[in-house]
Amino acid sequence: MKFSPSSLLLGLGAAGAMAQADVQDGPYALKIVDAEDASLNGLWVDACHSGAAIDTPCFSADAAGRELFYHNHTATGEAGPLIRYFNVDTGGDTPTRVPQPLSLTYVPSTNVANGLLSVGNTDPLNVAFDAAGKLFVRDYYDDSKFAAGERPQPGSYDLYHWQVCWNLASSYYYQSLAWVTSGNPHNPTCVAVNVTRVTPED
Ligand SMILES: *[C@@H]1O[C@H](CO)[C@@H](O)[C@H](O)[C@H]1NC(C)=O
Ligand SMILES: *[C@@H]1O[C@H](CO)[C@@H](O)[C@H](O)[C@H]1NC(C)=O
């Protein structure tokens, strides 16, 4: 894919038009906790190159390699996009910072959706942090409870379906942050984890 600053700025405009969030918190570093394979605990979320202005949330064992993220949300709501800023050299004295909101990539052959950090992303994942600082996704329906012909009433479901999996990210093969839609992950390399936020020292 060819990459030019003007296509980036168009992408940025699209992301801006989508935004409903008006408060931004951060920066936060993100750390793996609760992993079923304890050797993953303590890893930091990093960003690994997977295309032009496209990254995949991968991991770094040491704090120096970690990425920082910002959380957008409305003043009244906790959920909103989680954003990494990507520095683009647009020829000026300082690089332009373009947002790469976290999203998930769903494909028909698996219940594992790989994480994606992409400029111009128009469908960011809305996430929130619980009282313990753990990252979750809130959904309002559980289709395992649906009945034929009876329109379901909305509920509130806080989901912690994070996984660390070896996965393809365009031509790269990384151990990356992913999500299982429901049940056990189809990809046998996946390990269930949680992700917690840490405020970096000044
Ligand atoms: C996030 O919030 C900042 C600050 O309010 C805003 O400038 C930006 O457009 C928002 N981005 C997204 C993707 O919501
Ligand atoms: C992640 O945290 C949630 C909420 O505390 C918990 O219910 C879930 O079991 C945790 N996941 C793992 C893999 O331990």
Side-chain angles (χ1 to χ4, degrees):
M1 190 169 90
K2 197 96 161 92
F3 161 72
S4 73
S6 61
S7 68
L8 261 186
L9 293 176
L10 281 176
L12 178 56
M18 278 281 301
Q20 292 163 348
D22 47 23
V23 178
Q24 188 175 72
D25 299 334
Y28 299 116
L30 302 175
K31 192 182 200 173
I32 298 300
V33 293
D34 300 339
E36 282 177 354
D37 170 353
S39 71
L40 298 175
N41 284 327
L43 290 183
W44 298 98
V45 178
D46 189 5
C48 287
H49 174 85
S50 57
I54 302 171
D55 287 78
T56 297
C58 58
F59 306 100
S60 169
D62 67 287
R66 70 193 179 185
E67 266 302 323
L68 296 178
F69 294 83
Y70 296 80
H71 186 220
N72 275 23
H73 55 89
T74 60
T76 51
E78 294 297 312
L82 192 64
I83 299 166
R84 181 233 181 183
Y85 285 93
F86 177 79
N87 288 326
V88 185
D89 184 356
T90 45
D93 290 341
T94 51
T96 303
R97 291 170 85 231
V98 292
Q100 285 181 318
L102 175 70
S103 63
L104 297 173
T105 305
Y106 299 93
V107 292
S109 58
T110 178
N111 62 354
V112 175
N114 204 17
L116 176 71
L117 299 165
S118 178
V119 167
N121 186 340
T122 54
D123 194 17
L125 181 66
N126 287 326
V127 294
F129 293 96
D130 69 14
K134 291 184 199 176
L135 190 65
F136 69 94
V137 172
R138 180 165 293 161
D139 205 351
Y140 300 96
Y141 291 93
D142 176 354
D143 72 350
S144 72
K145 298 188 168 66
F146 286 9
E150 289 171 33
R151 191 187 162 80
Q153 293 301 309
S156 183
Y157 302 95
D158 292 352
L159 308 177
Y160 298 81
H161 291 187
W162 303 109
Q163 303 281 322
V164 169
C165 310
W166 281 93
N167 224 328
L168 286 164
S170 97
S171 59
Y172 300 86
Y173 190 57
Y174 289 131
Q175 197 176 26
S176 55
L177 184 65
W179 179 265
V180 61
T181 55
S182 70
N184 292 320
H186 192 251
N187 175 336
T189 71
C190 291
V191 178
V193 301
N194 270 309
V195 178
T196 191
R197 71 178 174 189
V198 176
T199 303
E201 320 69 47
D202 293 334

